[in-house]
Each structure stands twice: as C-alpha cells, then as structure tokens.
Amino acid sequence: MPSLKFIACLLSVLSACAMAKPIFAQSSAQKRIVIAASAALDGKGRVLHDTRIVVEGSTIVALDPKAGPVDYDLRGLTVLPGWIDAHVHITWSFGKDGKNAGMDGTAPDDNYRAASNAWVTLMAGFTTVQSVGSPNDIPLRDAIARGVFPGPRILTAVEPLTQQGEKAGTPEEIRAYVRKQKEAGADVIKIFASQSIRQGGGLTLSQEQLNAACDEAKKQGLRTLVHAYKDAVRAATLAGCTEVEHGTLATADDLKLMAEKGTYLDPQAGLVIENYVLNKDKFLGTPGYTAEGMAVMENVLSMNHELVQSAVRTPGLKVVFGTDALAGSHGRNAEEFIDRVRDGGVEPMAAMISANSLGAEALGMADQIGSIAPGLQADIIALDGDPLKDITAVRHVVFVMKGGIVYKNVAREAIPVYAGVQP
Ligand SMILES: [Zn+2]
C-alpha cells in the first residue's frame, strides 16, 4: 500500500501539473489541424493556390491539397505566415493620466498595459516581435514563451547602449556592457549611434566604440541593431553590425555599401511619426519630447519616405519590416505596410516578404518562422482581402494561429476590433 506521504506527494504533483499546464499549450497537444486555403503567400514570394496546410502540435507538417478533414476553411481569404516586426517597444504605453509613460514602469498598471500591448499586437497578425528594449520585456517574453499568456513571440535587447561619447566607455567597457546584456537574457544588442532625430541625429559613438560593440556581440553569438541616422549608418555598416534602425538621411552610397556588406535596413515609412502627430499632446512635455522636437518630426516624415524610395532603388539591399511601435501604435503595426507601399514605393509582395521570410532571416530564425513550409512553426494568419491588390487588406486580420494554437478566428468582413484601439 502506498504511503500517505507518497499519495500526498502524487496529488500535489498532479494538481501542480493541472495548475501549471498552460491553457494554450493544452489545446495544442499534438492535435492534427487541417487548414484549407485558396490563396496562400508562402512568405518567400510565391502564391500557393488551392492547398491545405497540415499542422501537428506547433509545427507545419505538410502542404497537401488532399488532406482532410478540414478544421479551418480559410478559402476566399489570403493566408500567409504570421508577420514579424523587427522593432517594437512592447512595454511602452500611455499612463493613467493619458501621458506618455515610457517603457520601464513596473507598477501593476504598467504591467497590465504591457500585457495588453502584447495581446493587441498578436491580434493584429504579428506573431513575432523584437522589442528593443527594456528589462520589462523579459518577464513578458518568458510568460508568453511558457504558454501561460497570449502574445507574440518576443525577442528583446533588455537595456540598449544609450550613453554617448566618452560616457559610453572605452571599447573594453563597451564589450563588458554587451556581455552584461547577454547575461541578463538579451536576444539581441541594441546600440544608439545617433542622437534622436529630434535633436539633430548626430553621431554619438566613435567608429572604435561601434566596432567594439558589434564585434563583441558577434563573439557572443548575438546580433546588433543600431539606431543610426546620417553618418552613423555608414559607421554601423563598416563596424559589421547586423541591422540599421531608422537610417534617415542615409545617402545612396551608404545604402549601396549596406547592400554589399549584407547589412539589413529597417526604415520606418510612416506609422511611428504619424502616431506622434496623432498623439502629440500625450507626448509633449514628457521626457525627450519638446514642442521644437515634435515640429522637427513632422519634417522627418518626408525624409523617411525618400529613404524608403531610395532603398527600393538599391539592388540587393535587404529591407526588413519594423515599426518602432510604442505607446499609441501597438496593434496598429500593419499601418506601416500601407505607408511603405503608398509612400515608399515598395511592392506589396516585397512588403509582405519583409515581414515574413526576410524578417525571419534577419532574426537568424529562417529555419523556424517566416514561411509556410513543412518543419516550420505554424504561425499562420489570414486577411479578408488581397494585400497584393489592395494593401489596406492588412488591416483585416481575421485569423491568427501562433505555434499551432488559434488565437483569433472571426467572421469575414468583421470589423477588426483592435484596428482603431490605442492602448
Ligand atoms: Zn525604437
């Protein structure tokens, strides 16, 4: 007869299991799911017609037009891999007073708002985001990864290197800073090499400092994202950094050099500045946001359009999708697609690829996400409309599956609940 102690132990293990077993993980237990699609973008530039996607557990296992029975009939919609946003600030919100509250608050309210940002981002079709970054990203990233909380897969830079000039330290100190971020759980290193564009966008690190940061990250097996305008774009490229963020006022020669060196560019064609303009009163007077700075920003919008147009004309340049989503723009990330196509001259298919296979490649995750292919994570979304014909279809996400779990499946022509919401 088993001892009471054993039974008590067994019961406690069972109940612990029952309690710990995440609700979302439960429903994915190796169940086979068949999705019917009449038009599916594979994420790499091909359109698959009249196919069925077979999912087992968290993974796509086959594309088989004869597979059945069908669990989700997505015919008439455009099916594609879940989008990847290379640049968000997932914990950045407006506070209770309606004003910009930044991304580093740790009060319960701040945490609920961060959770809400994650939820609306997922509902908008973004199944992976790179948050660059705040230490608050870590618990949110980990809760979502454990399956106990819904949200996009999060990669984070933890704390960016923001110090300028000598304050950023010697090359050796910068190397130590990079290692410290890795120890804190960083997936990527974020480096500021330019002032904010609101302050003129000047270079803030020497070539030697940038070289040290990007070289050390490489040694640690991490990628580097560099906030760079003007001259900093070339400096970051020469330093062998992985990706340039923003890139405003980069010259055609800078972009050519990036293409030659395989440096990714993540420009913002609109959403981030449109959002600042839309929510001007909520930012004004909060740290970093002056009336003069906000006025500059409105001029930057046309410079950013020119940058994207110039990027499109640069053969071989790898342009990924990133929105710089912050307070007011979470869940509206897809607006950036519309800006890029409408104002940047980006082909709709190229815009989709930038947030699918190319976005995955830039994260070093092309073997896991970004395409609809056997062996990859079942991150699958569907739009009511065809983004190749009308890019505004990106606003109509009616189906979201991440890692084989369906988080959204609403009636076609339903008005997307989150499109207009600004958490
Ligand atoms: Zn940013």
Side-chain angles (χ1 to χ4, degrees):
M1 190 180 121
S3 75
L4 271 178
K5 199 173 162 199
F6 173 75
I7 292 170
C9 179
L10 183 69
L11 283 175
S12 78
V13 168
L14 285 176
S15 65
C17 278
M19 281 169 66
K21 198 163 184 185
I23 182 165
F24 300 111
Q26 246 170 357
S27 53
S28 78
Q30 292 303 312
K31 187 182 178 318
R32 184 172 178 274
I33 294 174
V34 177
I35 297 169
S38 51
L41 312 186
D42 74 345
K44 295 179 167 177
R46 282 194 310 152
V47 185
L48 313 171
H49 294 283
D50 301 317
T51 190
R52 289 181 182 176
I53 305 164
V54 185
V55 174
E56 273 178 26
S58 65
T59 316
I60 297 168
V61 293
L63 292 171
D64 175 5
K66 295 195 178 70
V70 171
D71 298 283
Y72 294 95
D73 184 356
L74 304 183
R75 287 175 302 172
L77 303 170
T78 305
V79 174
L80 68 161
W83 288 315
I84 299 163
D85 191 330
H87 188 143
V88 304
H89 299 273
I90 199 72
T91 62
W92 194 334
S93 310
F94 296 126
K96 259 195 250 179
D97 59 357
K99 288 278 198 178
N100 169 31
M103 52 189 151
D104 296 326
T106 53
D109 272 346
D110 296 308
N111 297 331
Y112 284 124
R113 283 196 299 267
S116 150
N117 293 344
W119 171 248
V120 297
T121 301
L122 181 65
M123 289 300 97
F126 289 81
T127 47
T128 303
V129 299
Q130 187 159 247
S131 189
V132 294
S134 163
N136 288 352
D137 294 341
I138 297 264
L140 186 59
R141 174 193 71 181
D142 294 350
I144 291 169
R146 283 201 307 276
V148 296
F149 193 80
R153 200 176 279 104
I154 294 176
L155 287 82
T156 176
V158 192
E159 275 185 277
L161 177 65
T162 53
Q163 294 289 355
Q164 306 189 353
E166 280 178 10
K167 280 192 189 150
T170 63
E172 272 320 303
E173 285 165 341
I174 288 176
R175 286 178 187 275
Y177 188 88
V178 167
R179 291 193 295 270
K180 192 178 141 209
Q181 297 317 309
K182 186 180 180 181
E183 276 159 34
D187 304 291
V188 60
I189 301 295
K190 170 85 185 289
I191 301 152
F192 280 79
S194 296
Q195 296 168 315
S196 161
I197 199 84
R198 296 185 293 280
Q199 290 136 11
L203 196 61
T204 56
L205 294 178
S206 68
Q207 187 69 52
E208 202 189 3
Q209 286 173 313
L210 257 178
N211 291 351
C214 293
D215 180 63
E216 185 64 28
K218 218 174 267 173
K219 282 189 179 140
Q220 300 298 325
L222 295 178
R223 296 166 298 112
T224 35
L225 264 55
V226 184
H227 167 108
Y229 305 108
K230 302 198 259 186
D231 301 342
V233 173
R234 176 164 289 259
T237 307
L238 291 173
C241 309
T242 315
E243 185 169 305
V244 164
E245 301 303 311
H246 317 306
T248 311
L249 293 175
T251 64
D253 277 348
D254 296 337
L255 298 182
K256 199 168 153 237
L257 182 69
M258 289 181 72
E260 280 163 21
K261 303 240 331 170
T263 313
Y264 296 94
L265 174 67
D266 174 23
Q268 282 75 46
L271 174 64
V272 64
I273 293 189
E274 289 161 5
N275 181 65
Y276 278 136
V277 173
L278 187 68
N279 293 296
K280 204 170 178 176
D281 294 344
K282 298 179 178 178
F283 286 99
L284 260 184
T286 66
Y289 297 92
T290 61
E292 302 77 54
M294 296 302 269
V296 169
M297 222 135 43
E298 295 184 36
N299 298 329
V300 173
L301 190 56
S302 61
M303 293 178 198
N304 283 348
H305 293 163
E306 282 161 30
L307 172 70
V308 176
Q309 290 159 12
S310 177
V312 167
R313 290 193 300 267
T314 308
L317 180 60
K318 297 194 272 192
V319 182
V320 299
F321 184 86
T323 62
D324 208 353
L326 36 80
S329 43
H330 300 293
R332 299 194 299 125
N333 314 56
E335 293 297 314
E336 173 72 17
F337 288 123
I338 300 170
D339 296 322
R340 288 190 182 197
V341 169
R342 185 191 57 209
D343 303 322
V346 175
E347 289 291 330
M349 181 61 100
M352 294 299 101
I353 295 169
S354 73
N356 285 152
S357 61
L358 188 61
E361 181 196 302
L363 299 181
M365 295 176 77
D367 57 344
Q368 299 164 60
I369 57 172
S371 307
I372 294 184
L376 269 71
Q377 283 291 299
D379 291 0
I380 297 166
I381 64 171
L383 313 180
D384 186 7
D386 180 355
L388 304 183
K389 291 195 184 116
D390 174 4
I391 193 63
T392 64
V394 296
R395 289 177 177 148
H396 304 289
V397 174
V398 293
F399 180 88
V400 176
M401 170 186 267
K402 189 194 103 191
I405 298 159
V406 176
Y407 290 90
K408 183 178 190 180
N409 184 24
V410 300
R412 295 159 199 226
E413 289 152 31
I415 306 291
V417 179
Y418 298 99
V421 173
Q422 292 172 24

